[in-house]
Every structure is written in structure tokens, then in C-alpha cells.
């Protein structure tokens, strides 16, 4: 097995976990919101911890969704220039877009890791858990996004790594 095969397997495995986590998070958040409404307005006894937990889970859903969109290639792209540009310009735009995207994700990963380490000792007020759990989605989502971007680069090359599957390509 080559290094590229290992990256593809890791990417596929992580994407399956992302899909399961996203579905579970969506269902849990919906159930918690319904329960919070019932407890607050029907039973007149609000769940004091529910808002903090919902926000925490929503953060996980957002950043896992960010990574999953890289895997599924569903991020919005503006491709009108590239569709009509000469091949050499398409390549230049591909290199530029890939470099900027990788740089942004790399900076997000690095600084979210530093921020996560700083927040780990702090405790949330309602749940009584580490505040790092609210920062961890940014780190995990950025890291997984880099993995998916690397997989797209391996499979499609520089010019196709950020293309959507629904975009007409030659």
C-alpha cells in the first residue's frame, strides 16, 4: 500500500465518521431544541443547560460540515473565468486557489490548536465541562478539511482539487 492509498483510506474512513456524526448531531440538536421549548413554555421549568449544549453541538456540526463539504466538493466556487480561460491560466488559478485554501486551513488548524490548549483548563458555567470542547470543532474541522483537500489534490491534481463535481469540467 502506498502513501496515497493510505491517505485515500483515511479520507474515506473519516468522511464516513463525519456523515454519521453530522446526522447524529442534527437529530440531537433538534430533540434538545424541542425539549427546551416544551420545558420552558409548557412546563414553565426551563432547562438551564440546554442552550450551552445546543451551541456546543452546533459548533461541532458547523465545522464537521465544513470538512465534509471539502470531501463532497460542495463548497461554492466561482468558475466562470476558469471555464473560458486558456489551460495555462486555469492551472495558475488552480495553484493560487489551492495554495490560499491550504494556507488558510493550515493557519486555522495551528491557531485553533493553540487556542484549544489555552481553553482546556477553563470550565463552562452550565455544563461544567472543559471549554476546550467548544474550541475543538475548529481544530478537528480544519484538520479534516486539510485531509480532504490533500485527497482531492492526489485524485484530481492542482487544477481539479477545488472543483465541484457538479461543475462541467473537461
Amino acid at each position: 500500500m502506498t502513501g496515497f492509498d493510505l491517505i485515500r483510506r483515511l479520507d474515506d474512513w473519516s468522511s464516513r465518521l463525519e456523515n454519521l456524526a453530522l446526522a447524529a448531531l442534527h437529530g440531537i440538536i433538534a430533540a434538545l431544541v424541542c425539549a427546551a421549548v416544551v420545558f420552558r413554555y409548557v412546563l414553565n421549568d426551563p432547562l438551564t443547560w440546554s442552550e450551552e449544549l445546543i451551541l456546543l453541538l452546533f459548533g461541532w456540526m458547523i465545522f464537521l460540515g465544513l470538512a465534509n463539504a471539502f470531501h463532497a466538493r460542495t463548497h461554492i466556487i466561482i468558475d466562470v473565468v476558469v471555464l473560458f480561460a486558456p489551460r495555462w491560466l486555469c492551472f495558475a488559478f488552480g495553484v493560487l486557489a489551492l495554495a490560499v485554501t491550504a494556507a488558510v486551513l493550515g493557519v486555522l488548524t495551528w491557531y485553533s490548536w493553540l487556542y484549544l490548549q489555552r481553553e482546556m483548563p477553563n470550565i463552562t458555567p452550565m455544563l461544567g465541562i472543559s471549554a476546550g470542547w467548544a474550541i475543538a470543532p475548529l481544530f478537528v474541522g480544519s484538520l479534516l478539511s486539510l485531509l480532504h483537500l490533500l485527497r482531492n489534490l492526489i485524485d484530481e491534481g492542482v487544477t481539479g482539487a477545488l472543483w465541484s463535481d457538479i461543475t462541467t469540467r473537461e
Side-chain angles (χ1 to χ4, degrees):
M1 175 173 18
T2 67
F4 291 153
D5 291 333
L6 181 63
I7 290 170
R8 285 184 181 101
R9 281 189 178 182
L10 183 60
D11 181 66
D12 289 339
W13 177 80
S14 65
S15 178
R16 283 193 290 273
L17 282 179
E18 287 166 19
N19 286 332
L20 289 172
L22 286 168
L25 286 167
H26 198 105
I28 292 168
I29 289 171
L32 282 171
V33 168
C34 289
V37 168
V38 167
F39 272 82
R40 178 177 299 269
Y41 296 109
V42 175
L43 302 176
N44 204 21
D45 186 21
L47 301 172
T48 56
W49 51 267
S50 65
E51 181 181 353
E52 190 173 295
L53 181 58
I54 290 167
L55 288 173
L56 177 76
L57 296 177
F58 192 65
W60 277 97
M61 195 166 75
I62 287 169
F63 288 106
L64 287 178
L66 166 80
N68 193 263
F70 272 104
H71 180 80
R73 295 165 177 248
T74 54
H75 281 288
I76 296 172
I77 61 171
I78 300 171
D79 60 355
V80 69
V81 174
V82 176
L83 289 175
F84 297 107
R87 198 159 198 69
W88 67 269
L89 190 57
C90 291
F91 182 79
F93 281 143
V95 169
L96 178 65
L98 189 64
V100 169
T101 302
V104 168
L105 289 172
V107 168
L108 276 174
T109 303
W110 175 251
Y111 283 103
S112 64
W113 173 250
L114 297 176
Y115 187 32
L116 176 62
Q117 289 177 326
R118 195 178 79 202
E119 288 297 316
M120 286 302 279
N122 299 332
I123 303 299
T124 62
M126 300 310 291
L127 295 174
I129 61 173
S130 170
W133 284 105
I135 309 306
L138 177 57
F139 174 71
V140 172
S142 300
L143 192 63
L144 288 170
S145 295
L146 279 170
L147 172 66
H148 298 320
L149 186 63
L150 180 60
R151 163 72 182 272
N152 293 346
L153 178 62
I154 290 168
D155 288 351
E156 298 292 335
V158 172
T159 56
L162 293 174
W163 280 83
S164 170
D165 283 343
I166 60 173
T167 304
T168 305
R169 300 186 271 179
E170 292 181 26

